[in-house]
Amino acid sequence: NGVLAVGAALAGHAAFALVPQLPVEVAYPAVRFLEMMILVNLALGLFNLIPIPPLDGGRILVGLLPLRAAMAVAGLERFGLPIVIGVVFLLPLAAPGLDPFGVFLREVVGPAIRVVLFVTGHGG
């Protein structure tokens, strides 16, 4: 996901060079597609690193913990997906002021987007 996000940011250089020559009905969707490709790939990749089994972050956590703790965390795998669904979708419905996924996007994905854009030469 990170490689795809960086690739989209690098493709943005070519897109921005072509935008003045393209009609707006072609240029706008092309640039918007690259923006969404960066956002979606970083959101998916970073979300997958949350340390809750069965997400990859949970599996990484299990690999790093001592055996007894790893077995306890691994045992949560069957509850992991309901936990994620509950926190991401149901919690905001039950408590409208709580939006953990919005916080994740603002506090984790937003800075990651800025890093990708900086590293690929889109500002500084």
Side-chain angles (χ1 to χ4, degrees):
N1 292 103
V3 170
L4 290 173
V6 169
L10 290 171
H13 288 292
F16 287 125
L18 292 174
V19 163
Q21 289 82 27
L22 295 174
V24 69
E25 53 275 345
V26 174
Y28 178 78
V31 170
R32 190 72 180 138
F33 173 78
L34 293 173
E35 291 172 347
M36 288 294 102
M37 191 169 168
I38 295 167
L39 171 67
V40 168
N41 276 291
L42 287 176
L44 287 172
L46 292 170
F47 186 82
N48 198 31
L49 290 176
I50 294 174
I52 300 173
L55 300 177
D56 287 343
R59 297 206 171 118
I60 292 168
L61 179 62
V62 167
L64 295 174
L65 290 173
L67 182 60
R68 179 171 267 195
M71 290 175 59
V73 171
L76 295 174
E77 185 161 348
R78 64 180 169 196
F79 304 111
L81 197 52
I83 290 169
V84 170
I85 289 170
V87 169
V88 172
F89 297 109
L90 300 179
L91 185 61
L93 292 174
L98 294 176
D99 183 15
F101 193 68
V103 172
F104 171 76
L105 290 174
R106 281 189 307 277
E107 303 298 326
V108 177
V109 178
I113 289 172
R114 288 190 288 280
V115 167
V116 166
L117 293 177
F118 178 77
V119 167
T120 57
H122 285 282

